[in-house]
Amino acid sequence: MKKILIIEDEKDIIDIATLILEDEGYEVASISEYPGFEKKVNDSKADLVLLDLNLQGYHGKDICKYIKGNDDLKQTSVVLMSANRDIKAVKEESGADAYIAKPFDLADFITTVRTNLNLAS
């Protein structure tokens, strides 16, 4: 079973994404507290990380750079999620694999997740 890690500070987004992803047959974990995120990300063994850009006290771009710069994690697909108008440019700058603009369309959300999980395989 593929594992997805959601890094997000909005509980409603975590809940909705978790319901959608579990319904699709994925194992889902989440992080909503960021001090020590490195250990949590390493321990998660996720195939895909859904990462919000604007986190309380942190920027998702930096977390993405950490993941993509870590030899043990760099094969993990990272999909940025944000309402930021410049999300495409941030995706390129951070090394993320894809992005989902908030608010997201359900079909686009599922397609982006599936596509990036297949890339991670």
Side-chain angles (χ1 to χ4, degrees), residues 1-89:
M1 179 182 296
K2 297 282 186 173
K3 185 167 186 181
I4 298 172
L5 177 64
I6 302 170
I7 303 177
E8 170 69 62
D9 57 358
E10 293 184 42
K11 184 178 179 342
D12 291 343
I13 300 281
I14 292 172
D15 292 345
I16 291 167
T18 298
L19 285 172
I20 293 166
L21 296 168
E22 286 178 344
D23 192 51
E24 290 292 311
Y26 302 116
E27 181 181 343
V28 181
S30 64
I31 297 174
S32 58
E33 308 242 341
Y34 312 107
F37 79 85
E38 298 91 346
K39 179 172 177 16
K40 295 173 188 174
V41 171
N42 285 327
D43 291 349
S44 75
K45 306 287 189 236
D47 299 294
L48 173 82
V49 174
L50 293 173
L51 176 59
D52 186 25
L53 277 185
N54 300 312
L55 303 166
Q56 212 167 38
Y58 288 82
H59 197 286
K61 175 176 64 176
D62 298 325
I63 294 174
C64 183
K65 286 180 178 180
Y66 167 79
I67 293 169
K68 291 301 186 177
N70 183 309
D71 287 340
D72 293 332
L73 300 172
K74 65 183 174 186
Q75 297 305 316
T76 303
S77 287
V78 177
V79 176
L80 301 178
M81 297 191 309
S82 181
N84 184 315
R85 291 180 295 145
D86 298 324
I87 190 168
K88 186 175 181 180

Side-chain angles (χ1 to χ4, degrees), residues 100-113:
I100 298 170
K102 291 179 187 176
F104 53 81
D105 174 79
L106 180 59
D108 290 342
F109 177 79
I110 292 169
T111 298
T112 301
V113 167

